[in-house]
Amino acid sequence: MDIPVEHLRTLAAAVDAGTLDRAAARLGVTPSAVSQRIRVIEQRVGRVVLRRTKPVTVTTAGEPLVRLARQIDVLEHEARAALGDDDGPAHVPLAVNADSLITWFLPALAAVTDQRGVTFELHREDQERTAQLLAAGTVMAAVTSQRDPVAGCIASPLGRMRYTAVATRAFADRWFRGGVERAGLEAAPRVDFDRHDSLQSAFARRHGARREPPRHIISASAEFAQAITLGLGWGMLLPGQFEAGVADGSLTILAGDTVDVPLYWQRWNLSSDLLDTVTDAVRRIAAESPVLT
């Protein structure tokens, strides 16, 4: 398979831009040139690599090609730097779940910027879905709950995030007066981070619930915790988010069992000093974090 590098970069630009017209503007070529380059790729691989939707999306066949384009950019940047050709700071797109982002992840990135010129682009996504961005070539590495490596990647464990079911004392007295039982869990409002959040439902199923209760959707970590402390519903919180409230009596732990979410760091299986530096910082900060067990 012989595909010109500029064609691979055109495919990646189309995915980033969302339309062929915007990709053309970024590349300084005509939309027809962009379309022609992508057709050449599809002819050479014998498969469709880009869905002409709005926005355009990469197909399963196109994902490794987008990843290849980005890997070439990384290696080219490092080669230029080694030759003394200052090409500006490297750009590193990463995917991370919201709770890691708000608790331990950012210090790892700060440690990297102390060592070298680099800019980061963070894609915040649920830990069960960050690996999809890695597979699509959107990011170079990801914090994910997926243990098995994405194709072309390597994975290493980071630790476990431990979540505890918490509600205000008044909320618990209203909905769980007899303890955490099926009827209360199926009726009491709960707080979910987004529509894909499965933490609360996993806890509820463990305690016998079979039907979904009313749900508040609050997709911001700090506000998610605040909603629980204000009594909008019950939810799963991390260490550091509820202990003070339990101590002063405003919050209560609904049950002694927790939901543990293992996290892994997945990155491209690429010989790259830049990715090695990011990986070392992420693993070190994760090992030092009290949030991860």
Side-chain angles (χ1 to χ4, degrees):
M1 181 181 66
D2 181 20
I3 301 176
V5 172
E6 67 176 9
H7 287 38
L8 293 173
R9 285 177 170 151
T10 298
L11 175 61
V15 172
D16 290 341
T19 69
L20 301 189
D21 287 347
R22 287 201 291 265
R26 290 186 183 186
L27 296 170
V29 298
T30 64
S32 62
V34 170
S35 182
Q36 176 61 27
R37 290 176 185 178
I38 292 173
R39 279 199 298 270
V40 168
I41 294 175
E42 292 176 332
Q43 290 169 359
R44 296 193 180 184
V45 302
R47 282 174 283 182
V48 174
V49 299
L50 193 72
R51 301 183 189 91
R52 274 66 167 181
T53 53
K54 290 186 178 181
V56 298
T57 56
V58 67
T59 66
T60 301
E63 287 177 354
L65 300 179
V66 172
R67 190 162 61 244
L68 176 60
R70 303 198 197 284
Q71 291 174 345
I72 290 172
D73 286 344
V74 171
L75 294 176
E76 181 178 299
H77 184 278
E78 293 191 348
R80 288 179 179 273
L83 293 171
D85 183 3
D86 186 4
D87 198 29
H91 184 67
V92 179
L94 303 171
V96 60
N97 61 307
D99 285 338
S100 290
L101 184 60
I102 199 174
T103 53
W104 65 270
F105 191 72
L106 286 178
L109 304 190
V112 175
T113 59
D114 286 342
Q115 300 178 49
R116 59 191 304 160
V118 58
T119 60
F120 292 103
E121 178 183 351
L122 297 184
H123 296 256
R124 191 194 68 183
E125 189 56 88
D126 185 87
Q127 64 270 3
E128 296 179 357
R129 304 177 69 205
T130 50
Q132 297 174 15
L133 297 176
L134 191 59
T138 304
V139 299
M140 297 180 183
V143 176
T144 175
S145 60
Q146 181 174 317
R147 179 179 181 177
D148 295 333
V150 171
C153 298
I154 53 178
S156 56
L158 293 173
R160 293 174 178 267
M161 300 193 89
R162 178 160 292 172
Y163 293 85
T164 300
V166 176
T168 64
R169 171 62 64 183
F171 186 94
D173 287 345
R174 176 182 178 186
W175 296 100
F176 302 112
R177 183 166 299 183
V180 176
E181 298 175 343
R182 175 178 177 179
L185 289 168
E186 291 180 346
R190 77 173 190 231
V191 184
D192 282 350
F193 184 80
D194 59 27
R195 296 188 181 279
H196 305 285
D197 185 358
S198 61
L199 283 174
Q200 285 71 223
S201 61
F203 175 86
R205 286 195 303 271
R206 182 189 295 174
H207 288 268
R210 296 294 178 267
R211 293 189 297 108
E212 292 290 288
R215 296 195 301 163
H216 301 288
I217 306 295
I218 302 179
S219 299
S221 290
E223 288 77 8
F224 175 90
Q226 184 181 21
I228 294 169
T229 61
L230 290 174
L232 270 72
W234 70 272
M236 310 298 292
L237 295 180
L238 287 167
Q241 293 182 313
F242 62 86
E243 291 87 348
V246 171
D248 66 24
S250 61
L251 298 178
T252 186
I253 295 173
L254 296 181
D257 58 316
T258 60
V259 175
D260 289 358
V261 177
L263 295 181
Y264 300 87
W265 176 248
Q266 292 210 32
R267 52 159 284 189
W268 291 343
N269 188 10
L270 183 69
S271 179
S272 164
D273 179 62
L274 174 60
L275 276 178
D276 289 345
T277 300
V278 176
T279 295
D280 289 345
V282 167
R283 295 180 65 180
R284 176 173 58 82
I285 297 299
E288 297 171 353
S289 173
V291 176
L292 292 167
T293 60

